[in-house]
Amino acid sequence: MFIHIGNRITISDTRLVGIFNVETLKFSEDNIFYYSKSGNDDKTVVIDIDNNVYTSGVSSFTLIKRNILKEGIIWSRNHGERI
């Protein structure tokens, strides 16, 4: 299955490593590289297995909902509490 992340970009779910909220990335020094790839209008950073970084104006929650039927996807909020 492919996930459309916006801006005419689709990524195979088999190559997807993570979908991250830009606001969350800025709080960790370990993620500053990925945060630096985002622009003012970007809400999400997507990373694939080749460490390619894609940004999107679509919220991370919306992107995850697009692929929610696949098992193994974890959505967490409130300090790691699973939803």
Side-chain angles (χ1 to χ4, degrees):
M1 175 185 280
F2 287 87
I3 300 172
H4 179 256
I5 66 167
N7 300 325
R8 298 183 180 176
I9 300 171
T10 56
I11 299 175
S12 170
D13 63 349
T14 60
R15 300 187 55 77
L16 185 68
V17 171
I19 299 172
F20 304 96
N21 181 306
V22 168
E23 292 300 313
T24 303
L25 291 176
K26 72 179 178 182
F27 293 113
S28 170
E29 289 183 25
D30 294 333
N31 295 321
I32 199 69
F33 169 78
Y34 299 110
Y35 177 72
S36 70
K37 299 292 184 179
S38 65
N40 290 336
D41 296 330
D42 293 326
K43 297 179 183 177
T44 303
V45 171
V46 179
I47 303 168
D48 71 7
I49 60 174
D50 295 325
N51 207 30
N52 293 318
V53 178
Y54 305 93
T55 59
S56 175
V58 179
S59 77
S60 56
F61 185 69
T62 300
L63 294 179
I64 290 170
K65 283 192 324 186
R66 291 179 181 177
N67 199 27
I68 200 71
L69 298 177
K70 187 169 178 108
E71 289 188 32
I73 291 181
I74 299 170
W75 173 259
S76 67
R77 184 184 311 161
N78 299 333
H79 307 290
E81 177 184 326
R82 289 185 182 186
I83 297 177

